[in-house]
Amino acid sequence: MTRDRLLFYCQHSLGLGHLARSLRLAEGLTDRFEVTLLNGGRFPAGTRVPAGIDVVNLPPLGHDDGVELVSHDPAFTVAAAKAARTRLILAALAETTPSVVLIEMYPFGRRKFEFELVPLLDAVAALGDDRPRVVCSLRDILVQRPVGQEKHDERAVTRLNASFDAIVLHADPAFATLEESFRPATPLRVPVLYTGFVAPPAPAPADRRLDRLVVSSGGGMVGEPLVRAAVEVHRDLFIRTGLRTTVVAGPFLPAPVWDWLRDQARHSPVLEAVRRVDDLALEIGRSALSLSQGGYNTTMDLLRAGTPAVVVPYAEGAEDEQTRRTSRLAELGVLRMVPATDLAVPDRLLAALVDAAGSTPAPVPLDLTGAETTARILAPELAVR
């Protein structure tokens, strides 16, 4: 049977969360589509690409500390990367002739990438009656801006009404709705379709969990405070609980911090330093305890694994998304939350870890079938413009 084609745009600029979720989602789409994934950020060596997905790695761009675009390939200036990326995206549209163009996050974010997204949307519109459907792929909770939120929402709703056919929101509406994060004055004319959370497959029950704490912070770019705090308490944690500590640093943890972490592990028999793992969800599921940030994908790994967990949401600047997600899950009894400011007080983190180590997380009352549901929603036979 010939499958329709789907062109999927994903840009990650800081960590790996958007790429990880997009790959997980794309894998669920392959039952009904031939999927081409346009990846706009760095693609770490060893990243697993599910079967049936064609990845086109664009010249990688990201953000610096000032949220300005930077090129992650020394062969390209930012200007050269922009030009090359736009050409590659338009060529992919022409070559794949997709029935669906799925765009992750935009126009709710990624405004700095309009240099390539607006030409893509214009090219789709120029195809007329034969154009593919354009759908936004969106996570559960959006960051709220302390200044300019109204203007941002109006700009987004204008683009949505003009260029998009639907929004697939990867959340359970019992947990989070779009209206909580998005309140434009102009009515949204685009349907919002809830898919449930995009989670990994349910793991096989473990006969016995490893006597360890696994520590993770996604790609690791902003993981230094969590890593240092975990190392600070790891000996006391072993004395109190018998759990060793394994730190999964992430490919983007700065090199000086990685060197320091390895040195700490060389001098401690109960500390292990690992740069990356093939399947973080599996490693969390095999562990007696987890310590992590509160990104979407790690949270889904925790929900599937049922591992006792302490979560320290990333909350620098105006970032409130992880705090809102984590606090809601803490209220449900799924995990324990420690504010990032408490990392400066080791006893608070240690107390939370010891407390969590002897606990059983509450059952998960949420829909975790987001990948499969998205595939059904986007299927050509169910399409509604």
Side-chain angles (χ1 to χ4, degrees):
M1 181 181 71
T2 302
R3 292 174 297 166
D4 281 64
R5 295 177 175 178
L6 182 145
L7 186 63
F8 192 172
Y9 172 96
C10 171
Q11 173 65 49
H12 59 286
S13 300
L14 187 62
L16 283 173
H18 293 276
L19 175 62
R21 183 171 61 254
S22 294
L23 285 170
R24 192 171 281 171
L25 178 58
E27 183 173 19
L29 293 170
T30 56
D31 285 344
R32 295 176 182 261
F33 293 94
E34 293 182 17
V35 179
T36 297
L37 179 67
L38 299 170
N39 168 53
R42 288 181 284 184
F43 200 81
T47 300
R48 186 183 76 87
V49 178
I53 299 171
D54 180 23
V55 177
V56 176
N57 285 312
L58 308 174
L61 292 174
H63 288 153
D64 62 14
D65 292 341
V67 200
E68 295 299 322
L69 288 182
V70 294
S71 173
H72 289 303
D73 184 338
F76 289 89
T77 64
V78 170
K82 284 182 172 182
R85 287 165 62 106
T86 303
R87 288 195 299 270
L88 287 167
I89 289 170
L90 295 180
L93 175 66
E95 291 168 7
T96 59
T97 59
S99 63
V100 178
V101 173
L102 188 61
I103 300 178
E104 201 264 345
M105 197 67 180
Y106 183 77
F108 297 93
R110 305 292 181 257
R111 188 182 176 198
K112 290 184 182 293
F113 293 87
E114 287 188 327
F115 67 86
E116 60 193 11
L117 288 169
V118 171
L120 171 61
L121 293 171
D122 288 345
V124 169
L127 295 174
D129 292 341
D130 293 329
R131 72 171 181 86
R133 288 173 292 137
V134 180
V135 180
C136 172
S137 168
L138 193 63
R139 70 177 180 223
D140 56 343
I141 295 173
L142 301 174
V143 172
Q144 295 297 283
R145 292 162 170 76
V147 178
Q149 185 67 48
E150 298 84 357
K151 183 178 180 181
H152 168 81
D153 288 355
E154 278 301 301
R155 186 165 51 238
V157 78
T158 299
R159 174 57 67 182
L160 287 162
N161 288 341
S163 304
F164 285 75
D165 296 295
I167 299 165
V168 286
L169 203 157
H170 306 304
D172 185 326
F175 181 83
T177 63
L178 181 60
E179 292 77 16
E180 297 173 27
S181 303
F182 185 62
R183 305 179 188 89
T186 301
L188 176 65
R189 298 196 300 270
V190 173
V192 180
L193 309 172
Y194 290 85
T195 70
F197 288 98
V198 178
D207 293 335
R208 183 176 180 276
R209 295 183 187 270
L210 299 176
D211 292 329
R212 72 175 182 187
L213 163 71
V214 62
V215 182
S216 60
S217 58
M221 185 178 291
V222 294
E224 180 178 355
L226 185 68
V227 168
R228 290 189 180 275
V231 172
E232 176 76 14
V233 303
H234 85 277
R235 289 185 176 86
D236 287 335
L237 179 70
F238 178 74
I239 292 169
R240 298 278 296 276
T241 67
L243 298 180
R244 290 171 167 77
T245 296
T246 295
V247 179
V248 181
F252 302 150
L253 185 75
V257 187
W258 170 239
D259 292 341
W260 170 84
L261 175 61
R262 287 193 299 174
D263 183 65
Q264 294 294 310
R266 280 194 292 267
H267 291 88
S268 173
V270 294
L271 177 65
E272 179 186 23
V274 179
R275 190 52 149 163
R276 60 174 302 278
V277 293
D278 291 335
D279 189 338
L280 181 59
L282 176 64
E283 298 303 324
I284 290 174
R286 296 173 64 221
S287 302
L289 184 62
S290 170
L291 172 64
S292 69
Q293 292 178 330
Y296 184 104
N297 302 293
T298 304
T299 301
M300 294 306 107
D301 293 343
L302 291 172
L303 295 183
R304 278 294 198 203
T307 298
V310 174
V311 174
V312 182
Y314 177 69
E316 291 295 319
E319 295 283 340
D320 66 344
E321 163 231 334
Q322 291 196 14
T323 298
R324 292 160 62 200
R325 178 184 301 114
T326 304
S327 63
R328 293 182 190 189
L329 290 171
E331 290 172 1
L332 293 172
V334 175
L335 50 79
R336 284 161 172 76
M337 184 175 86
V338 171
T341 51
D342 281 5
L343 292 180
V345 186
D347 285 349
R348 293 179 184 174
L349 176 61
L350 178 62
L353 289 169
V354 171
D355 185 40
S359 71
T360 300
V364 181
L366 300 171
D367 181 359
L368 304 181
T369 64
E372 302 89 334
T373 301
T374 301
R376 290 196 296 272
I377 288 172
L378 298 180
E381 64 270 21
L382 302 177
V384 177
R385 285 224 194 258

